Amino acid sequence: SSSVMNISEHLSCPLGFGHYNAVDVCILETVVIVLLTFLIIAGNLTVIFVFHCAPLLHHYTTSYFIQTMAYADLFVGVSCLVPTLSLLHYPTGVHESLTCQVFGYIISVLKSVSMACLACISVDRYLAITKPLSYNQLVTPCRLRICISLIWIYSCLIFLPSFFGWGKPGYHGDIFEWCATSWLTNAYFTGFIVCLLYAPAAFVICFTYFHIFKICRQHTKEINDRRARFPSHEVDAAGDAGHGPDRRYAMVLFRITSVFYVLWLPYIIYFLLESSRVLDNPALSFLTTWLAISNSFCNCVIYSLSNSVFRLGLRRLSETICSSC
């Protein structure tokens, strides 16, 4: 109990509503952060191992981006060990400001990589459906590697001004007291991030998926018309060999993208409101931040439930582990 009291005295407890329940709230925060850290690390390690054990997953070029997202989400989980260890041990307060800045910067960069990868995935699926004949010439492994490298470089550069005193990079739900009281958001820096990252990524995703599903709907209508005019197995085979696999795979990726923005939208809204000094609520700050970070685990669940090839690879990986044990 004394160690818990030490935690509550030295750490910022965003959900605290008074001194009476501060200890209980810190315990709740600790449980949430520790659980999310474990789930994120375990889930993304599983995804990475399955991709290495299931060669069929490399059939799609989007596997490059999926694996990049898995590594970024894994690093998010590893980065979350910083607040986890700070909550589980007595904090010394040494270099607290630097720890806050580095942790916030790393988390923001990693989530920027995920967001940019989702936008690139939508563009990749758009090209696969709109330009099927020239797709292999347009999207090559070399260009994909260059694109992924540019994503990491861009994500690292866009948040660098936060180290020079131009606002927070976007991390809220502060665990350390210095982060909550001394490191304030800046409306101009927030607008800078929104204009160069959030808004372009959202626009690209909305544009590409709108046209993808529009084309798929037209294709389905044409197949149905052909079946009505020429009821034969050849038409069915031609329809199945068309956009069927691409459409199903696009649906899987659309689910991942939708869940990403559903979990991140409250965080982005709060980020904008806090930067504009319209709202300052520690409880909302904590909840929206860790709800957004939980997306790093949700990607694993959605992909494992939606993709049959991934499930097959997961089953083979499980059988291999069980047989070795």
Side-chain angles (χ1 to χ4, degrees):
S1 113
S2 62
S3 62
V4 174
M5 287 298 296
N6 287 332
I7 290 174
S8 65
E9 289 174 2
H10 288 81
L11 294 181
S12 170
C13 294
L15 293 180
F17 298 100
H19 180 72
Y20 178 74
N21 62 348
V23 176
D24 294 334
V25 169
C26 280
I27 293 174
L28 176 61
E29 293 176 10
T30 304
V31 171
V32 170
I33 296 173
V34 170
L35 180 62
L36 275 179
T37 302
F38 171 77
L39 291 176
I40 290 171
I41 293 176
N44 285 285
L45 278 176
T46 303
V47 171
I48 292 169
F49 284 135
V50 169
F51 264 93
H52 284 290
C53 297
L56 288 175
L57 285 169
H58 296 278
H59 173 69
Y60 291 101
T61 55
T62 48
S63 65
Y64 286 85
F65 296 112
I66 294 292
Q67 290 183 79
T68 301
M69 288 175 57
Y71 280 108
D73 290 335
L74 174 63
F75 292 144
V76 168
V78 173
S79 300
C80 288
L81 289 173
V82 174
T84 300
L85 295 175
S86 299
L87 286 169
L88 294 177
H89 296 83
Y90 185 89
T92 61
V94 178
H95 301 301
E96 185 178 328
S97 60
L98 180 61
T99 302
C100 291
Q101 288 181 315
V102 172
F103 177 66
Y105 174 78
I106 291 175
I107 289 290
S108 299
V109 167
L110 294 174
K111 298 318 296 178
S112 171
V113 169
S114 295
M115 192 175 295
C117 282
L118 289 173
C120 290
I121 285 172
S122 67
V123 173
D124 177 84
R125 290 299 89 198
Y126 176 77
L127 293 175
I129 290 178
T130 57
K131 300 181 183 298
L133 298 179
S134 58
Y135 174 76
N136 291 330
Q137 286 74 34
L138 291 173
V139 182
T140 62
C142 180
R143 291 179 179 177
L144 287 172
R145 294 188 187 96
I146 293 174
C147 181
I148 291 172
S149 300
L150 291 176
I151 287 173
W152 281 98
I153 294 172
Y154 183 78
S155 299
C156 291
L157 290 177
I158 195 173
F159 291 103
L160 268 182
S162 63
F163 277 108
F164 302 98
W166 197 24
K168 280 188 183 180
Y171 173 70
H172 301 281
D174 305 304
I175 301 301
F176 297 100
E177 185 178 357
W178 186 89
C179 291
T181 59
S182 302
W183 198 17
L184 303 178
T185 54
N186 183 289
Y188 294 105
F189 183 68
T190 302
F192 172 77
I193 296 297
V194 169
C195 292
L196 293 185
L197 179 63
Y198 296 152
F203 173 78
V204 169
I205 288 170
C206 291
F207 174 85
T208 52
Y209 278 113
F210 172 79
H211 286 84
I212 285 171
F213 292 121
K214 182 180 177 181
I215 293 169
C216 290
R217 200 163 46 242
Q218 292 175 350
H219 185 72
T220 303
K221 184 179 178 182
E222 291 174 1
I223 292 175
N224 292 332
D225 292 341
R226 291 178 185 177
R227 286 174 178 171
R229 294 180 182 179
F230 311 102
S232 65
H233 295 289
E234 294 180 359
V235 176
D236 293 340
D240 293 335
H243 293 307
D246 286 329
R247 182 171 62 247
R248 288 191 296 270
Y249 197 62
M251 280 300 301
V252 173
L253 300 172
F254 179 72
R255 292 189 193 105
I256 293 176
T257 305
S258 300
V259 171
F260 181 92
Y261 277 95
V262 167
L263 294 177
W264 273 82
L265 189 59
Y267 167 82
I268 295 173
I269 293 174
Y270 182 84
F271 185 28
L272 293 170
L273 293 176
E274 186 186 273
S275 301
S276 304
R277 304 295 184 266
V278 175
L279 180 64
D280 185 10
N281 189 306
L284 285 177
S285 175
F286 179 86
L287 292 174
T288 54
T289 296
W290 291 96
L291 181 67
I293 291 177
S294 68
N295 175 257
S296 296
F297 170 69
C298 293
N299 289 340
C300 316
V301 177
I302 297 169
Y303 207 73
S304 60
L305 294 177
S306 303
N307 191 288
S308 58
V309 178
F310 184 88
R311 290 196 300 270
L312 178 61
L314 182 60
R315 188 172 63 192
R316 289 178 178 175
L317 178 63
S318 303
E319 291 174 352
T320 304
I321 294 175
C322 291
S323 61
S324 63
C325 292

